[in-house]
Amino acid sequence: MGSPRRRLLEQLCATFSNQAQALANPPLYAHIQVVFRPAPQLAAGSLLLEQAYALDPTQPYRIRVLRVCEDSRGLIIENKAIVAEQRFHGATADPSRIAAIREDDLCLLEGCTYLVEPDGAGFCGEVEPGCNCRVQRKGSEAYLVSSFRVGPEHLETVDQGFDPVTHSHLWGCLAGPFAFRVTERFCHELPPDW
C-alpha cells in the first residue's frame, strides 16, 4: 500500500488531460495538459510540473518543481520556481533534460506551499492560508487561491487570482474545477526510496 507520501507521488506522476471537459464546454474550458514527472537527481519527492495548452505542450504557461514532503503541518507540497525556466520548457517529454535541473536552479515560492490531506482513495490540498502566494499575470500582481483533488485516475484543480488590496476576483475559473483524466503514467520512474 505504501505511505501516504508515496501514494500521493504515485498518483501525481502522470500526464493528465481535460480533453473531454474542453470538448463538452469549449467557451469555459481550454484544452490543457498537465504533466508531473520525477526529478530523481533532486531531493526526495521532487517532481517537474509543466502545464500547457494541449495545442503546444512544449510551451508551458506554468513550469515548477513540486516537492512532496512532510513537516509539522503534515503532508505538504512545496512549490519551487525555476531560475531561467525557459531552458526546461518541454522537459517533461525528455527525462535527460529533467536531469539537468539542479537544486541551485530552484527558489521556494513563499506562501505557495500546498497543505494536503487524504481524501477517500486520493488526496486533496490547498495553498496555505494567508493570501501570501503572489503571482504576476497580465502585468499585475495577484494572490493565488489554489486547490486540487487527485485520485488513481483523475485530477481536479481550481486556480484563481485575487487583488491583494481589494480581494476582488481578477482571474480564474468561475464555472467549477478543471477535470483531468490520466493519459500516461510515470510512477515506474519514482526512485524506490522515495
Side-chain angles (χ1 to χ4, degrees), residues 126-148:
E126 59 186 13
V127 165
E128 60 192 302
C131 308
N132 294 318
C133 184
R134 299 300 172 98
V135 295
Q136 295 288 328
R137 184 166 169 179
K138 298 179 182 173
S140 62
E141 185 179 67
Y143 65 84
L144 178 68
V145 174
S146 178
S147 63
F148 73 89

Side-chain angles (χ1 to χ4, degrees), residues 104-122:
D104 59 7
D105 290 320
L106 308 179
C107 177
L108 180 67
L109 293 169
E110 298 291 340
C112 299
T113 294
Y114 286 85
L115 309 180
V116 183
E117 297 285 339
D119 181 47

Side-chain angles (χ1 to χ4, degrees), residues 27 43 47 51 60 67 123-124 160 163 181 186 189 191-192:
L47 306 175
Q51 195 163 330
R67 185 163 295 152
F123 298 87
C124 62
Q160 296 179 312
D163 185 283
R181 304 299 296 177
F186 303 111
E189 297 177 3

